[in-house]
Amino acid sequence: MQVPVLRGQLLCRLPCCAFGLPVETTPRRGREHSLHCRVAKANALPSSGHPTVDAAIALLEQRQSTARAIAASLDDAGLDLVATGFLDNHLAVARYLRDASSAAA
């Protein structure tokens, strides 16, 4: 919470948090916050109800970029890094699936 770049990543703009509630109280409101996050993510999916592989890749790339910014900020602050290798793995699988489906078509 002392690293400004990281604090900005923790702020939530969903209805559960957007009305002046401090980010430190989010864990106490975990269920409500989680539900709002899931609903917002579901609403962001394509209207067909099934996200495309390209949409998944775009989302993973965005999260990978955010994770890199967080890792750099943690490193600059001399704090322990968080594991982000799983994002690289998920992105590699999504790209493999996209390429495999393109080759099959």
Side-chain angles (χ1 to χ4, degrees), residues 14 33-45:
L14 295 173
H33 179 76
S34 177
L35 178 61
H36 279 281
C37 288
R38 289 174 188 261
V39 168
K41 286 179 185 177
N43 287 336
L45 293 175

Side-chain angles (χ1 to χ4, degrees), residues 63-64 66-68 70-71 81-90:
R63 290 185 177 172
Q64 186 182 49
T66 300
R68 286 182 179 153
I70 289 170
L81 300 179
V82 293
T84 60
F86 68 93
L87 287 169
D88 298 332
N89 295 339
H90 289 182

